[in-house]
Amino acid sequence: MAASSREHVLSLYRMLLKESKKFPSYNYRTYALRRVRDAFRENRTVGDPKAVEELLNKARDSLAIVQRQVSIGQMFEIQKTVMEPEEKKSD
């Protein structure tokens, strides 16, 4: 894989992780992070440039979906789960 292609893949990976961390719901957030990591690990050995380009297009589509779902999720108030730490209130 060429250096520029590698940098592009890593950039897309970082953007997907960053956007996935913005989900307000703990369950969606952890699911999205796990799926991103698993998908990139699964396809880390792909060497065919055509296959890499197809996977990049799929990842770009997934990024758009995550961004849209995060925006929708932030429109509504959600109830925190017991897994999420409580925010400290300043006095």
Side-chain angles (χ1 to χ4, degrees):
M1 186 181 322
S4 63
S5 178
R6 178 177 169 78
E7 291 299 317
H8 187 69
V9 169
L10 290 174
S11 173
L12 189 55
Y13 177 69
R14 284 187 214 105
M15 286 191 301
L16 276 161
L17 289 177
K18 185 177 177 183
E19 286 298 316
S20 295
K21 288 178 184 177
K22 293 180 182 178
F23 272 111
S25 170
Y26 173 81
N27 290 329
Y28 288 128
R29 185 170 52 249
T30 55
Y31 174 76
L33 289 169
R34 186 175 62 244
R35 289 286 297 153
V36 168
R37 288 183 184 123
D38 289 348
F40 275 82
R41 281 186 191 131
E42 179 182 324
N43 296 309
R44 114 190 289 170
T45 58
V46 174
D48 180 29
K50 207 173 220 183
V52 170
E53 191 59 38
E54 286 178 23
L55 290 167
L56 284 173
N57 288 334
K58 186 176 177 181
R60 285 186 204 103
D61 292 342
S62 295
L63 178 61
I65 290 169
V66 168
Q67 289 172 331
R68 184 174 57 239
Q69 290 304 118
V70 166
S71 297
I72 291 170
Q74 290 174 346
M75 290 180 189
F76 304 99
E77 188 173 331
I78 61 158
Q79 190 173 16
K80 297 270 184 188
T81 64
V82 295
M83 296 297 295
E84 296 177 280
E86 291 184 26
E87 294 178 10
K88 294 184 179 181
K89 297 179 183 177
S90 59
D91 293 328

